[in-house]
Amino acid sequence: MASGLNGPFGLRFSGDTLHVAEAFAGQVTRVNRATGATTPVVTGLASPAGVVRTGGELAIITGGGGGPEATGDASVLVAPSGGGEATVIADLEAYELANNPDGQLQFDPETGESLDALSNPFSVLAHRKGFVLVADAGANAVLAVSRSGRVSTYFVPPTVTSGACAGLPNNDPEHAGCDSVPTGLAYGPNQTLYVSTLSAEVPGEGRVYVLKASTGEVLRVIRGLNGPTGVAVAPDGTVFVSELFHNAPQGPPGEDFDPASIGRIVRIGPNGKRTYAAVPMPTGLEFHRGTLYASAYSVGIFFGLPNAGQIVKVNSSAFSSP
């Protein structure tokens, strides 16, 4: 659908208009669904990971690393829906420091150094009862942010203690195991919200939590995933999960390594059947008007492929059994 992008992470439709957060370009880009033409609409951002249109504005989350002139390190920003200058409305790292939703030790008591990423916003979704919800991978929490910039904790997925995560050292003994690391947000049928969690990339320990959207109550958990980085849900309850680093080499790749072999999307039918589509390095997912859209080559720059990012349509025929 579109190509030449640099780090396409989150993508969201508003009507037929698609916006993409280009993390390594530091910008939000509008994509013409008919022609694939791309237009930068908000620039100078610190590693934007997600964008969503709500009302007459674009809400943007940034994860840091954009340089001294970039706007919005670990923040929620707003910009006019047609593009323009972005303004910070919420400092998510400040909220983490003050509230620490997952309760883990934040700093080494001897050196004072942070033990983990404090805040790393990864996905944003319009909040049906407020402004936006943010999956903060660093805070291990889903946060609700009002238009005035008030931040509150919406959902804290538990530390994973099963399988290879059991007993793994963490920031403190009370939280041994794998950090949950929320990565994706999507609404599903029957007033549900789906939250994908990376589970420290431990194979088979990734989760998707299905919540009651109005309260954040856990209704069920989809298990057995490999490092989920995004989630989308069809009206019939079919769930799609991106696995960014599926099939990635352990250590330096060999001479015959093909970057296109990394990554896949898992389709989980209403009956639980799983099928798979080979999509290179997918992160953001969006199911829109009967079609699944995904980012591809979202971290191509890690493999010497800058500006290789794409937005692709993933047809049903792309999925097959393993």
Side-chain angles (χ1 to χ4, degrees):
M1 178 181 170
S3 59
L5 303 172
N6 194 356
F9 276 37
L11 59 148
R12 298 288 184 201
F13 275 96
S14 174
D16 281 334
T17 300
L18 176 66
H19 290 96
V20 181
E22 288 188 75
F24 304 131
Q27 64 188 29
V28 168
T29 299
R30 184 171 60 239
V31 179
N32 185 306
R33 193 164 71 100
T35 67
T38 58
T39 305
V41 292
V42 184
T43 60
L45 302 169
S47 300
V51 57
V52 66
R53 181 173 176 174
T54 176
E57 297 176 310
L58 297 176
I60 306 162
I61 52 170
T62 54
E69 296 181 359
T71 301
D73 191 349
S75 301
V76 178
L77 304 88
V78 295
S81 60
E85 185 175 352
T87 303
V88 175
I89 64 167
D91 183 334
L92 299 181
E93 184 167 311
Y95 181 80
E96 164 67 14
L97 287 169
N99 296 275
N100 193 14
D102 69 356
Q104 293 192 27
L105 187 66
Q106 295 174 316
F107 297 94
D108 187 307
E110 295 183 1
T111 67
E113 296 180 354
S114 61
L115 295 169
D116 207 344
L118 293 171
S119 178
N120 181 19
F122 206 83
S123 181
V124 62
L125 185 67
H127 191 1
R128 290 176 175 173
K129 287 194 171 184
F131 186 57
V132 293
L133 295 172
V134 177
D136 192 325
N140 292 313
V142 177
L143 307 174
V145 183
S146 73
R147 178 58 185 83
S148 65
R150 181 180 180 274
V151 183
S152 58
T153 302
Y154 175 83
F155 172 62
V156 181
T159 302
V160 177
T161 58
S162 58
C165 290
L168 285 182
N170 207 338
N171 291 11
D172 54 62
E174 291 76 17
H175 295 88
C178 296
D179 285 348
S180 56
V181 192
T183 54
L185 299 168
Y187 287 114
N190 302 315
Q191 302 298 308
T192 53
L193 176 72
Y194 287 65
V195 181
S196 61
T197 60
L198 194 71
S199 299
E201 297 183 24
V202 173
E205 293 303 326
R207 309 273 197 271
V208 172
Y209 291 88
V210 185
L211 311 180
K212 186 176 181 179
S214 60
T215 64
E217 173 191 354
V218 177
L219 301 176
R220 63 188 179 96
V221 183
I222 301 171
R223 304 173 188 271
L225 298 163
N226 300 326
T229 49
V231 63
V233 188
D236 69 351
T238 299
V239 181
F240 302 91
V241 181
S242 54
E243 295 183 339
L244 173 61
F245 289 118
H246 172 74
N247 205 38
Q250 300 295 318
E255 293 183 0
D256 298 330
F257 168 70
D258 180 7
S261 66
I262 298 176
R264 69 180 181 181
I265 297 174
V266 184
R267 181 176 65 183
I268 307 168
N271 62 356
K273 181 181 178 181
R274 299 190 182 194
T275 51
Y276 305 87
V279 175
M281 307 177 214
T283 301
L285 300 176
E286 182 89 325
F287 193 87
H288 179 71
R289 297 184 179 175
T291 300
L292 178 68
Y293 296 82
S295 63
Y297 292 100
S298 61
V299 292
I301 196 170
F302 293 172
F303 301 93
L305 299 170
N307 303 310
Q310 301 173 348
I311 302 300
V312 299
K313 300 177 185 179
V314 187
N315 296 327
S316 182
S317 60
F319 291 88
S320 62
S321 300

